[in-house]
Amino acid sequence: MPRHRLALGIPALGAIDRGRGQIGLQLVEALRNAIYRGELTTGQLLPSSRALAESLEVSRGTVSEAYEQLIAEGCLEAKAGSSTRVAATPTPGFASAPRLQRENAVGASLASASVEQYAAMAAKLAPLPSVPFSVAVPEGAVAMDHHWRRLSHRVRASQAAAPAGYSDPRGLLQLREMIAAHLRKARAVDCSRDNVLVTEGTQQGLYLAAKVLLTAGDTAWTEDPAYPGLTAVLEERGVRTRAVPVDAQGFDVVRAFEAWPEARAAFVTPSHQYPMGMPLSMPRRLALVDWARHHGGWIVEDDYDSELRYAGQPFPAMQGLDRDRVVYLGTFSKVLAPSLRLGYVVAPDSLVDAFIGARSLIGRASPIAEQHVIAAYMNEGYFETHIRRIRAVYAERRAVLIDALQREVPELRIQHADQGMHIVGLLPAGVDDVKLAMAALDAGIALRAVSAMCSANSAISGLMLGFGGFSSERLRSSVRKLRVLLDGFL
Ligand SMILES: Cc1ncc(COP(=O)(O)O)c(C=O)c1O
């Protein structure tokens, strides 16, 4: 380090290295550091630009520019006609101010409750590793095809992937048109593109629905068991959740109404009850719509995997029964990939603007490039072909899994369902599904415990087993692991 730099009494200047170039920038950084570290203190005079330039062997202009930069940042100040000083920074005196008794401050205690609540949700909603029997792992034979990759490259090479300016909070027009056309044809949903709002998946759709339809203290019915991502959303909103046990026909609105007539909304999975698998029967659907019409209730229909039905045609969506009382939620997570983070809300006409407003508050709009890719994939007919292809693969994998379970783990009572990417097996009495699911991770398999999705009144001990993303061989070998694991619990 040259001696003259030390002579200025600013050790931070010793860091300046000619070899690195950009001396001006280095000088700004060194002086700024000197101020932060206290080598230069409030009000202290800096050397004149001439003196500093000479000692550093740089031009005077370089030093003057560095001083100007630091004056603009508020680190230095120069009074007309006088030299440059370190700016005076008022000391706030926080250290000596008496500490607020946070335990008694209402705002603070609410904030700390949320911190714990959100942290608990992070644990509850953490995704499982991508090993059997995790749900929703579209790899290999069920991954998106070469048409998807070609369209992705085409979009990314064009201006469309990153247009200037903000995009429409409702989502890309072409995609909304494609979604509306698909839903009218495949799901009998009664909608136009104006009812469709692109979201970052159904999770966001549930969040928006809870924001738009409910306020803290309102009552909402849910199915029991229910999707934990839904119950967490309602809890966060401060909604009184009333869980109604599902039976062979699904959610029972008559029972719900008898117990909690004050409910404003019902959150249901009519095509494929999550997680148990039964569809909501037609009489129950009609009863639910009847309630919504006569009591001003809202039905939120989570149609998360309805494209994947293995026996006959998929059931039509409930939304087609009443476009004014049903908010319909769909997702590309199951048929394409959950990592896309794209789904949609179909809102009744009276709620469209409210959903747009709520959507604008959380992240404004969904990223646009992938929306172009999906719109083109749908428009060119590949989406339908893809669904047909994966449905055939899933049907085979599902049959393999059921067969392997029946042979290797006959104590598991498989629940009848002919749709989706998972099946549920009930465990023999006394087996703790939560402990079993935890032990499974060490054995290299991923299971979800059904009791963790139940209300306190109705714990069912069972396992959710996803089969979508795994080859037949992996499914069979994983069933053998489950056999060994279960032996340790019997
Ligand atoms: C019943 C149900 N609803 C909603 C979601 C959330 O889906 P998305 O990935 O679209 O947010 C899932 C995901 O597994 C689900 O199973």
Side-chain angles (χ1 to χ4, degrees), residues 53 125-126 153 156 161 173 189 237 251 299 348 388 404 424-425 433 466:
L125 304 179
H153 291 148
R156 286 206 159 64
L173 181 67
V189 171
R237 189 83 181 106
F251 174 83
I299 300 166
R388 272 200 300 276
V424 165
D433 57 354

Side-chain angles (χ1 to χ4, degrees), residues 310 387-397:
Y310 307 114
I387 291 176
R388 272 200 300 276
R389 185 170 61 83
I390 62 171
R391 200 187 283 147
V393 178
Y394 286 151
E396 195 186 313
R397 291 180 178 179

Side-chain angles (χ1 to χ4, degrees), residues 16 67 69 89 94 100 144 269 281 320 355 370-371 435 456 475 488:
I16 294 177
Y67 279 5
Q69 169 67 28
T89 44
F94 288 129
L100 185 70
M144 278 95 89
T269 46
S281 70
F355 270 92
E370 229 67 72
Q371 295 189 55
K435 287 194 181 137
L475 289 172

Side-chain angles (χ1 to χ4, degrees), residues 199-370:
T199 62
E200 291 177 14
T202 292
Q203 188 61 42
Q204 192 177 61
L206 291 168
Y207 192 76
L208 293 174
K211 285 262 179 225
V212 169
L213 304 177
L214 300 165
T215 50
D218 281 349
T219 299
W221 298 322
T222 60
E223 298 163 320
D224 192 3
Y227 178 57
L230 163 67
T231 40
V233 159
L234 296 177
E235 193 185 314
E236 197 251 0
R237 189 83 181 106
V239 168
R240 287 177 224 273
T241 302
R242 304 301 184 210
V244 185
V246 293
D247 60 20
Q249 293 191 58
F251 174 83
D252 186 349
V253 65
V254 174
R255 207 168 149 184
F257 188 73
E258 273 165 15
W260 303 291
E262 71 280 14
R264 292 181 59 84
F267 289 77
V268 286
T269 46
S271 298
H272 187 221
Q273 202 280 328
Y274 186 97
M276 301 307 284
M278 70 288 282
L280 186 60
S281 70
M282 191 45 86
R284 295 267 177 96
R285 289 176 186 226
L286 294 172
L288 191 52
V289 167
D290 195 47
W291 161 77
R293 282 188 187 143
H294 290 102
H295 293 271
W298 297 107
I299 300 166
V300 180
E301 175 174 23
D302 178 354
D303 204 30
Y304 62 105
D305 66 4
S306 56
E307 291 93 346
L308 300 170
R309 179 144 195 264
Y310 307 114
Q313 294 298 310
F315 294 132
M318 268 192 82
Q319 193 272 2
L321 294 176
D322 194 328
R323 59 174 285 155
D324 296 326
R325 304 304 318 166
V326 181
V327 173
Y328 176 91
L329 307 178
T331 180
F332 291 108
S333 288
K334 307 290 175 182
V335 283
L336 292 173
S339 59
L340 286 173
R341 302 313 310 138
L342 283 173
Y344 37 89
V345 172
V346 177
D349 296 335
S350 63
L351 295 179
V352 168
D353 287 344
F355 270 92
I356 296 173
R359 177 69 187 93
S360 305
L361 280 183
I362 40 170
R364 283 189 183 275
S366 304
I368 206 80
E370 229 67 72

Side-chain angles (χ1 to χ4, degrees), residues 398-411:
R398 180 173 167 276
V400 166
L401 176 60
I402 291 176
D403 176 65
L405 286 172
Q406 281 171 342
R407 274 196 282 135
E408 302 267 354
V409 199
E411 333 48 347

Side-chain angles (χ1 to χ4, degrees), residues 18 202 219 250 371 440 480 483 486:
R18 277 182 181 284
T202 292
T219 299
Q371 295 189 55
R480 287 195 288 276
R483 170 72 271 163
L486 187 57

